Amino acid sequence: MRQTIFLALCVGASAAAHAQSWGEPDVKAGDKWVYRMTTEKAGAGWGETSNEFTVARVSSRLIYQAGTSQPPSVSFWNRDWSVVREFDGVETLTNQPLSFPLTIGKSWALKYTDPHPANNFKSLQWDSKYTVVGFEPVEVPAGKFNALKIEA
C-alpha cells in the first residue's frame, strides 16, 4: 500500500524556490491543520481521507491536539510530529511521517512490531518507508499552495 502526504509550507514563493531544506514549523495553540491522505488500495484504486485538528497547547516536548473532524479526543505528538507508543513498558516510535529537516530526495524508514494490535492478532509487523519527492500544487479552502509531496 502506498500513501501520499502533502505538506504545505508557509513560506514565500521565492524562499521556497531557493530553500535547500525545511525545518520543523513553529506550532502554537490555536493552529488548525488538515491532513489529506491519498492511499492506494490493492486492486481497488485510490482512496482519500481528510482529518482536521486544532493545536490545544504546545510544551517543550509535545504538541497536544484536539480532533475536530473525528469523535472528540485529545492526543499528542512529539515536537517533530512523530508518535511514540508504549509496548510492555518500552516507548516505541510508531509513526514518523516527517523527518526534519526535509530535503527533496530525503528518505527514511520506520520498522516496529505491535505486540497486541487487536484481539485476533498476536502481533503485527509494520515497515514504512518515506521519501520526499518534490513539490506539487494543491488547492484547499484556504487557497492554492505549492506543497511538498512525501510518499510512503
Side-chain angles (χ1 to χ4, degrees):
M1 173 170 48
R2 185 174 56 163
Q3 297 178 329
T4 302
I5 302 165
F6 290 101
L7 178 64
L9 300 171
C10 297
V11 296
S14 61
H18 293 84
Q20 297 296 316
S21 68
W22 300 270
E24 296 175 26
D26 183 29
V27 178
K28 58 190 177 307
D31 285 353
K32 292 187 180 198
W33 296 86
V34 177
Y35 281 90
R36 200 164 48 184
M37 190 174 308
T38 305
T39 305
E40 183 177 18
K41 298 182 179 192
W46 295 84
E48 186 172 283
T49 59
S50 182
N51 293 308
E52 179 181 324
F53 74 87
T54 300
V55 176
R57 69 183 175 96
V58 179
S59 74
S60 61
R61 210 181 110 225
L62 299 171
I63 300 169
Y64 295 85
Q65 60 101 358
T68 55
S69 63
Q70 299 297 318
S73 66
V74 174
S75 60
F76 55 88
W77 298 341
N78 292 318
R79 288 297 300 256
D80 67 357
W81 298 18
S82 63
V83 177
V84 174
R85 288 178 50 201
E86 190 172 299
F87 297 122
D88 300 323
V90 177
E91 285 191 359
T92 303
L93 184 64
T94 60
N95 190 2
Q96 189 181 18
L98 305 171
S99 178
F100 296 106
L102 296 171
T103 57
I104 294 174
K106 181 177 182 176
S107 293
W108 62 98
L110 175 65
K111 292 182 183 184
Y112 73 95
T113 300
D114 187 337
H116 39 72
N119 291 337
N120 56 340
F121 290 103
K122 182 175 180 179
S123 67
L124 188 58
Q125 184 71 35
W126 294 90
D127 185 359
S128 304
K129 295 177 180 81
Y130 302 86
T131 303
V132 180
V133 295
F135 284 97
E136 187 168 305
V138 296
E139 187 170 353
V140 295
K144 293 181 181 181
F145 297 92
N146 199 24
L148 197 55
K149 181 178 179 179
I150 300 168
E151 288 186 347

